[in-house]
């Protein structure tokens, strides 16, 4: 697949499913089997548990994770002891999970492994930083259910999005909902000047006037019911450091002084608005931008739901590809 070469352009990759059983683990297996290890040193971990033969929630069969000789991996102490491969221990982290500390090792033979790495985004960033000290060129994170935050540019440079019938068995709804997520991933980046002003700000609500001066708003977050826009007639940009929600977007849209405003968030994982509200905001003249953009390298589909419903794979790939203007892959079929 062309996207394998695209992955090699980045030093980190997150594989994220929009729902359980959308083919995320199959995608991970596909990628691990095809990466050119002679070109890149690769490390892999998971924020959930990957490699189990049976899903603990749906009781359906799951694909096992097979590592090739030379691959590095991060997993819990408990699952490291259950490995079915010969490995060289590289590091035992201070990071503790419910299954013990996180162990990093290198596979000396091909074999199967249960992956259960750091349980937080902060822990993941630390693990990825530590692997680079061992010369890792590409760190791969397999996400857990609905953890789109793993696809944040703060965690990984690139991402693969897995969707499918488990997300919706109605093809039109599935295409629409997935396309909206892709639209969010592809939100444009704000100006370099805005990035310089806003990137250091970890919290709160801020605005930049038409002269480029930065001001802090009284409300702490966009969730506040007391958000006021007094004295912001010359506002050019509003920055939401935390989560962007429908109620705040609606207040901005209805304020006549903010008709042409640019609304900035840190990255797409901070956006928690409906498609309808976003369309109304943009139709009124507003623009949504990010400080940091994710690089979507591929979208994959699993046309089969856990309940046994099967969508037409070719039709699904074609319709979704047209909606997002990107190739879409059914990896099992291909």
């Amino acid at each position: 697949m062309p996207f394998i070469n695209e992955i090699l352009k980045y030093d980190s990759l997150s594989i994220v499913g929009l729902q359980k059983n959308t083919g995320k683990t199959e995608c991970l297996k596909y990628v691990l089997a095809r990466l050119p290890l002679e070109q890149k040193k690769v490390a892999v971990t998971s924020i959930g548990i990957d490699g189990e033969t049976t899903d603990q929630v749906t009781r359906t069969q799951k694909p096992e994770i097979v590592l090739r000789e030379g691959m590095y991996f991060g997993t819990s102490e408990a699952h490291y002891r259950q490995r079915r491969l010969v490995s060289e221990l590289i590091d035992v982290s201070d990071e503790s999970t419910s299954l013990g500390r996180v162990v990093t090792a290198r596979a000396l033979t091909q074999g199967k492994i249960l992956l259960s790495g750091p349980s937080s985004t902060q822990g993941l960033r630390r693990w990825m930083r530590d692997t680079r000290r061992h010369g890792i060129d590409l760190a791969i994170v397999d996400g857990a259910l609905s953890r789109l935050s793993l696809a944040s540019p703060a965690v990984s440079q690139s991402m693969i999005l897995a969707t499918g019938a488990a997300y919706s068995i109605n093809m039109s709804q599935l295409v629409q909902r997935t396309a909206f997520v892709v639209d969010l991933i592809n939100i444009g980046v704000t100006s370099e000047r805005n990035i310089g002003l806003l990137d250091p700000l970890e919290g709160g609500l801020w605005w930049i006037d038409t002269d480029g001066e930065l001001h802090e708003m009284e409300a702490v977050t966009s969730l506040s019911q007391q958000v006021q826009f007094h004295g912001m007639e010359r506002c050019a940009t509003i920055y939401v450091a935390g989560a962007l929600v429908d109620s705040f977007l609606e207040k901005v849209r209805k304020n006549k002084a903010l008709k042409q405003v640019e609304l900035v968030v840190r990255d797409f994982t901070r956006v928690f608005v409906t498609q309808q509200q976003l369309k109304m905001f943009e139709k009124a003249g507003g623009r949504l931008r990010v400080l940091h953009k994710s690089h979507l390298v591929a979208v994959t589909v699993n046309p089969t739901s856990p309940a046994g419903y099967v969508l037409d794979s070719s039709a699904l790939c074609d319709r979704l590809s047209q909606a997002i203007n990107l190739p879409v892959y059914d990896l099992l079929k291909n």
Side-chain angles (χ1 to χ4, degrees):
M1 291 293 176
F3 71 80
I4 296 295
N5 290 330
E6 186 69 16
I7 291 169
L8 301 178
K9 298 177 182 178
Y10 305 101
D11 64 20
S12 50
L13 170 73
S14 294
I15 301 176
V16 180
L18 287 179
Q19 183 67 42
K20 212 172 180 64
N21 298 109
T22 51
K24 179 175 54 65
T25 306
E26 283 290 358
C27 180
L28 175 65
K29 280 184 59 181
Y30 186 95
V31 170
L32 293 179
R34 287 160 178 80
L35 287 171
L37 300 186
E38 69 279 2
Q39 295 180 32
K40 299 280 186 178
K41 288 176 72 173
V42 176
V44 61
T45 192
S46 173
I47 202 166
I49 298 176
D50 260 316
E52 300 169 298
T53 55
T54 305
D55 190 289
Q56 298 303 307
V57 177
T58 62
R59 311 309 301 175
T60 53
Q61 290 298 111
K62 289 185 63 176
E64 295 181 283
I65 301 298
V66 177
L67 298 186
R68 293 149 62 194
E69 179 184 347
M71 283 184 166
Y72 291 70
F73 61 95
T75 194
S76 65
E77 289 178 289
H79 287 154
Y80 183 70
R81 296 189 193 99
Q82 298 173 31
R83 69 195 184 282
R84 284 178 280 169
L85 49 77
V86 179
S87 63
E88 173 190 7
L89 185 63
I90 303 296
D91 181 59
V92 180
S93 169
D94 293 333
E95 185 92 16
S96 187
T97 72
S98 59
L99 296 168
R101 293 172 295 177
V102 176
V103 173
T104 302
R106 182 168 70 96
L108 301 179
T109 62
Q110 179 168 300
K112 295 176 180 178
I113 186 74
L114 283 165
L115 292 176
S116 54
S119 56
S120 67
T121 52
Q122 293 84 359
L124 274 174
R125 286 200 293 267
R126 282 193 293 270
W127 179 82
M128 294 167 84
R129 186 176 62 243
D130 290 344
T131 61
R132 293 190 185 101
R133 295 209 301 263
H134 300 290
I136 295 300
D137 301 304
L138 173 62
I140 301 175
V141 179
D142 192 37
L145 173 63
S146 299
R147 290 295 294 270
L148 275 174
S149 59
L150 296 179
S152 165
V155 177
S156 61
Q157 287 187 345
S158 63
M159 65 175 292
I160 294 176
L161 188 68
T163 187
Y167 193 40
S168 175
I169 58 172
N170 180 303
M171 189 180 296
S172 295
Q173 186 181 69
L174 172 58
V175 169
Q176 181 184 19
R177 291 170 65 184
T178 303
F180 179 55
V181 176
V182 173
D183 285 343
L184 297 182
I185 295 167
N186 290 329
I187 292 170
V189 179
T190 190
S191 68
E192 288 293 331
R193 178 181 174 82
N194 283 352
I195 293 172
L197 282 172
L198 303 174
D199 203 21
L201 305 175
E202 295 293 334
L205 295 172
W206 305 78
W207 64 282
I208 301 172
D209 64 29
T210 51
D211 293 328
E213 294 295 319
L214 180 66
H215 310 267
E216 187 172 8
M217 292 175 63
E218 292 182 8
V220 178
T221 74
S222 71
L223 300 172
S224 172
Q225 298 299 313
Q226 308 302 320
V227 174
Q228 301 290 333
F229 300 104
H230 299 312
M232 292 175 60
E233 290 78 13
R234 294 172 57 248
C235 175
T237 303
I238 296 176
Y239 176 55
V240 179
L244 175 64
V245 296
D246 273 349
S247 58
F248 184 81
L249 194 64
E250 186 175 18
K251 288 174 184 174
V252 173
R253 174 175 59 83
K254 289 182 176 180
N255 189 301
K256 293 181 180 179
L258 303 173
K259 285 295 183 186
Q260 304 295 320
V261 77
E262 179 177 281
L263 189 55
V264 179
V265 293
R266 183 159 293 276
D267 61 64
F268 87 96
T269 66
R270 307 295 180 96
V271 180
F272 296 91
V273 300
T274 60
Q275 188 172 13
Q276 180 184 13
Q277 279 291 351
L278 183 55
K279 280 185 176 179
M280 290 167 64
F281 170 73
E282 292 173 336
K283 188 175 181 180
R287 302 180 310 281
L288 182 60
R289 295 291 183 264
V290 294
L291 295 181
H292 304 288
K293 190 174 187 298
S294 298
H295 300 276
L296 181 63
V297 299
V299 175
T300 66
V301 297
N302 174 12
T304 304
S305 78
Y309 293 100
V310 182
L311 300 176
D312 184 296
S313 174
S314 297
L316 176 58
C317 289
D318 288 345
R319 288 180 61 177
L320 185 54
S321 181
Q322 289 176 17
I324 66 175
N325 200 28
L326 285 170
V328 177
Y329 306 96
D330 179 347
L331 297 179
L332 284 182
K333 180 181 177 182
N334 292 329

